[in-house]
Amino acid sequence: MLIVAALYHFTRMPDPAAFRAPLAKLACGHGVKGTLLLAPEGINGTIAGTRAGVDAVLAHIRALPGCADMEWKESPTDRMPFGKMKVRLKREIVTMGQPDVDPRASVAHYVEPADWNALISAPDVAVIDTRNDYEVEIGTFAGAVDPGTRSFRDFPAWWQANAARFAGKRVAMFCTGGIRCEKSTNYLLSQGVDQVFHLKGGILKYLEQVPEDDSLWRGECFVFDRRVSLTHGLRPGRHGLCHACRRPLAPEDRQRPEYEDGVCCHRCIKEYSPDDRARFRERHRQFGLAAARKPD
């Protein structure tokens, strides 16, 4: 059994490049795989490996300046959900494109998963899903508003166009693990919304802690690794992935005539040219050959 650890932490990192090589070397040395992003505002990512390997990487990160109180979320898996280890330098650890947004300055009221149902069931509360449209499509909380955004960068423009809808409301926001809410709630506070709430630990913590019989979650939760989706108890869901557009696919989607494994699905069949699809087809063939050569 392997451990998947999802983490983020906002802290000032004047020289994130200095941490990149030692972190990558340590992770690779312990057989840990995944992606970690380093930026002047902190660290974000998901890793997987043995208990000992993940613990070693987490201990290393917590020893970095300002990261001692970093929190993370864990789930088990019976197979490695990542192909390799990547440590990347970014301008932001989650891209919103709003230079004045600073979660270290102020964030919303954190709400524990056990208290979330009562909050979002209140008539004066508007519940907003801050994730991308393809994530919302496979699962969200009952009654939540879907902004329909293709990327998190689109959220501020959506809010500016729709803010009047939420006048006089308390606003409750959620995302997969919590990081997008750190920025989106700080943004709403800067826009004059004073009653803003944030699901602590995100959907993953809710699905881990809240019994399915009591849950207001509907569907599955998209995750950015080979598991694709999780459900209550952080059990693997039924969704796969289109390897062309990276969107989730239900089993019935993979039976549609537009679907070709590794090449296209009904969502992206018109988004790429025939040359693109030929390239995807060759890439998929090469992946198949590499997998066939891999020893058991």
Side-chain angles (χ1 to χ4, degrees):
M1 185 62 66
L2 301 175
I3 302 298
V4 180
L7 60 97
Y8 72 86
H9 190 68
F10 286 96
T11 186
R12 197 172 301 281
M13 285 189 176
D15 185 17
F19 305 130
R20 183 183 187 182
L23 184 52
K25 181 178 180 180
L26 176 78
C28 292
H30 284 83
V32 172
K33 298 179 181 181
T35 299
L36 292 171
L37 307 179
L38 298 171
E41 65 180 6
I43 185 169
N44 175 32
T46 306
I47 57 174
T50 63
R51 175 80 271 168
V54 168
D55 284 349
V57 175
L58 293 175
H60 180 90
I61 295 173
R62 295 184 74 193
L64 297 178
C67 293
D69 58 346
M70 180 191 75
E71 298 183 2
W72 65 91
K73 290 164 289 297
E74 294 186 358
S75 57
T77 182
D78 57 3
R79 65 188 183 100
M80 174 57 72
F82 300 105
K84 56 185 175 180
M85 185 67 218
K86 295 176 285 188
V87 182
R88 293 176 171 171
L89 301 177
K90 294 284 187 177
R91 292 183 180 180
E92 301 176 68
I93 56 174
V94 59
T95 303
M96 194 181 201
Q98 297 289 316
D100 294 332
V101 167
D102 183 5
R104 294 165 301 182
S106 60
V107 292
H109 304 288
Y110 290 105
V111 180
E112 295 289 343
D115 301 321
W116 183 248
N117 286 358
L119 173 68
I120 67 174
S121 298
D124 66 331
V125 172
V127 187
I128 300 177
D129 194 329
T130 67
R131 300 171 303 148
N132 301 331
D133 52 5
Y134 60 88
E135 299 173 77
V136 180
E137 182 178 342
I138 71 168
T140 190
F141 282 105
V145 174
D146 173 14
T149 49
R150 291 292 300 271
S151 76
F152 188 51
R153 185 186 286 273
D154 299 332
F155 182 83
W158 175 84
W159 175 259
Q160 292 296 328
N162 290 273
R165 294 169 51 189
F166 307 103
K169 293 277 191 178
R170 294 185 289 163
V171 177
M173 309 178 81
F174 65 92
C175 58
T176 308
I179 187 171
R180 282 176 278 192
C181 287
E182 300 279 2
K183 283 196 168 184
S184 57
T185 59
N186 177 268
Y187 176 74
L188 260 63
L189 291 170
S190 75
Q191 300 299 302
V193 184
D194 56 358
Q195 290 290 300
V196 188
F197 300 84
H198 167 183
L199 175 58
K200 187 175 182 181
I203 302 162
L204 295 180
K205 187 60 69 175
Y206 181 93
L207 292 179
E208 177 187 356
Q209 293 187 355
V210 176
E212 186 170 359
D213 289 346
D214 299 331
S215 177
L216 295 180
W217 178 260
R218 302 293 181 263
E220 298 179 0
C221 177
F222 181 83
V223 289
F224 294 89
D225 60 58
R226 288 176 180 172
R227 296 173 299 172
V228 184
S229 67
L230 299 175
T231 186
H232 292 88
L234 300 182
R235 299 186 302 271
R238 67 192 191 105
H239 285 77
L241 198 68
C242 173
H243 293 285
C245 66
R246 313 301 294 176
R247 296 185 179 105
L249 297 173
E252 55 268 28
D253 295 329
R254 298 193 289 276
Q255 300 302 315
R256 295 177 61 138
E258 303 97 328
Y259 177 71
E260 183 179 348
D261 191 21
V263 178
C264 59
C265 69
H266 65 285
R267 294 187 182 91
C268 70
I269 192 167
K270 296 182 179 180
E271 295 179 359
Y272 297 104
S273 69
D275 286 345
D276 289 329
R277 288 198 291 276
R279 180 164 48 86
F280 297 156
R281 200 170 284 116
E282 176 59 20
R283 179 185 63 184
H284 187 63
R285 189 181 75 85
Q286 294 296 332
F287 284 156
L289 291 173
R293 290 193 298 266
K294 188 177 295 184
D296 292 335

